[in-house]
Amino acid sequence: MTEEKLESRLKKMVVRRLFMKIDPDSIDAGKSLVDDYGVDSVSLLELVVGLEEEFGIKVEDQEFDVNNFRTIEALAEFVRSKQQPS
Amino acid sequence: MGNAITWTESPAVLTGGRGYALFGMEYSPHETPRGGVILCPPCFEERKSSHRPFVETARALAAGGWHVLRLDLTGCGESDGTFRDGSIGVWVCDMERAMAHSRKAAAEGPLVLLGLRLGAAISWLAACRSGGVDGLALWEPVVNGREYLEQELRKKLARDMMTTGRARVSRRDLFDSLERGEEVDFDGYPIVPSLYRELLQTDILSGPAPATRSVLVLEIGAASGPSQRAEAIQKRLAAEGRSCLLRNVYTQPFWNLVGLCDIGTVITETTSWLDRQWPQQPRDIVKH
């Protein structure tokens, strides 16, 4: 999957899972999900569950690091790193 | 012409499973009720977040002719005791006391238990132990206590991440502490070793199924179809020839929110199910 397609899927997942009333395409992939889109600890957990259910990855406890969830770009990088065969 | 009914809200004080006073609010229609519904809340911060939705639900049910008892479990809300006094066993016993109370108020009508999250599991266990429950409405039910603890402890990790940048402990660390008999603070509520052990033993599908006429499993969130947990409940009930309706509503998980949330579809799904199971007799509308 291209980076663009992955980011697009992530945006749709974020909007649907967090009940945001915005167009997924309007999300700036480089902007802070917390500061610019109002993501809090509860919605971060929804994102974690969303990543696991929709992207088939498992988020380990030590990966609960804000750097992995800061932006759509960071999320995409995290998903890609988890999907790469070890 | 229509179907709304006037009702009265009044406090009710019962004696709970540990002998402490249990606080509840009763919603009593001004005519013979269709039956009784007991609302069983979740635990921890989920109870606070679901307070307003439970009030709205109680009022909607009362307007539909049901006698409603909205209960605070031992050590929670307005009921006596501290959270350390609560346990799954005590809370199931609280529900049994509430059921005895509501049966009298419900006259000849059916008795329905409506529980959210851990409150749904407690309702299921109470219905299994006591019998005489005609319907169960399970909102986003907890099925397995260990999975529930895992989810709750993950919330703690997410909060850590938001405040310090990363989770400072792992779930393994927290489970190890509980195994050593230590308390783990969760949102300011102590998970004491006895509650931990009870939760580990809680799996509503491993025991008997309640002998209810009908069960509604309502899953609330972003999912468009039933979860494996919901399907397992349905399968468990079907094995004993009982009906179980699975429904999904696209509504925010209000038990996790601080602010207000519109739960109209949640209430409508529930009242529609009740109306199909126990149809309401036509009557005049009078606004409360």
Side-chain angles (χ1 to χ4, degrees), chain B residues 122-199:
Chain B
I122 290 165
S123 298
W124 172 287
L125 294 171
C128 288
R129 200 160 83 174
S130 280
V133 174
D134 301 284
L136 268 179
L138 309 174
W139 286 4
E140 199 66 24
V142 168
V143 170
N144 179 284
R146 184 175 188 95
E147 286 175 10
Y148 171 65
L149 265 179
E150 296 262 5
Q151 288 171 5
E152 294 301 297
L153 295 177
R154 252 188 162 188
K155 285 185 189 170
K156 192 177 171 74
L157 302 187
R159 267 195 307 280
D160 265 7
M161 177 167 66
M162 291 297 283
T163 51
T164 66
R166 60 189 298 274
R168 293 168 296 176
V169 293
S170 68
R171 278 173 292 174
R172 185 67 268 153
D173 298 331
L174 297 169
F175 274 112
D176 284 348
S177 296
L178 290 163
E179 284 292 336
R180 287 196 298 271
E182 297 166 7
E183 283 185 16
V184 168
D185 176 84
F186 183 73
D187 277 347
Y189 300 85
I191 301 180
V192 296
S194 56
L195 177 59
Y196 166 66
R197 285 191 295 274
E198 273 192 311
L199 283 169

Side-chain angles (χ1 to χ4, degrees), chain A residues 58-73:
Chain A
K58 180 163 170 46
V59 181
E60 305 293 344
D61 290 357
Q62 64 271 22
E63 291 167 334
F64 275 66
D65 186 318
V66 77
N67 290 322
N68 293 329
F69 300 89
R70 197 179 297 281
T71 61
I72 291 289
E73 286 171 353

Side-chain angles (χ1 to χ4, degrees), chain A residues 2 16 18 43 82:
Chain A
T2 64
R16 193 179 68 261
L18 305 190
S43 39
K82 297 288 290 183

Side-chain angles (χ1 to χ4, degrees), chain B residues 263-280:
Chain B
I263 65 153
T265 52
V266 174
I267 292 174
T268 301
E269 283 288 350
T270 305
T271 54
S272 298
W273 168 73
L274 285 169
D275 288 344
R276 285 194 297 274
Q277 300 301 319
W278 298 282
Q280 184 179 15

Side-chain angles (χ1 to χ4, degrees), chain A residues 1-17:
Chain A
M1 189 187 305
T2 64
E3 195 68 22
E4 195 177 344
K5 276 189 179 167
L6 177 56
E7 287 189 3
S8 176
R9 272 188 69 193
L10 283 166
K11 287 177 185 177
K12 284 178 185 155
M13 188 269 284
V14 166
V15 166
R16 193 179 68 261
R17 289 252 170 195

